[in-house]
């Protein structure tokens, strides 16, 4: 997983508004237990794709987990 996160971080540095990369990075970070980082990425995803139900759901899930 750390290798995948590094690759995603590098890709996001080049393509910071790519919804697919943001979704993957948020999901990987959530699965790695990095909930605050995952939430920040999910919020960026929501900003890039405001009508995406998956983005909205991921933000809600992470906010609830951090309460």
């Amino acid at each position: 997983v750390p290798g995948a996160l590094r690759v995603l971080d590098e890709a996001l540095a080049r393509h910071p508004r790519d919804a697919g990369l943001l979704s993957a990075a948020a999901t990987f970070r959530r699965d790695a237990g990095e909930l605050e980082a995952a939430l920040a990425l999910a919020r960026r995803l929501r900003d890039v794709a405001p009508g995406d139900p998956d983005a909205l759901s991921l933000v809600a899930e992470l906010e609830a987990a951090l309460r």
Side-chain angles (χ1 to χ4, degrees):
V1 173
L5 291 172
R6 185 172 47 257
V7 169
L8 285 168
D9 289 343
E10 291 170 2
L12 277 171
R14 290 188 303 274
H15 308 284
R17 296 184 55 80
D18 184 291
L21 290 173
L22 286 165
S23 178
T27 301
F28 269 85
R29 294 234 179 257
R30 178 200 62 200
D31 294 348
E34 299 176 20
L35 300 184
E36 290 181 10
L39 179 57
L41 288 160
R43 287 177 173 157
R44 283 176 53 193
L45 173 60
R46 181 189 58 197
D47 293 344
V48 168
D52 184 332
D54 292 332
L56 297 173
S57 175
L58 186 56
V59 169
E61 171 193 335
L62 290 165
E63 286 177 341
L66 286 167
R67 283 191 198 117

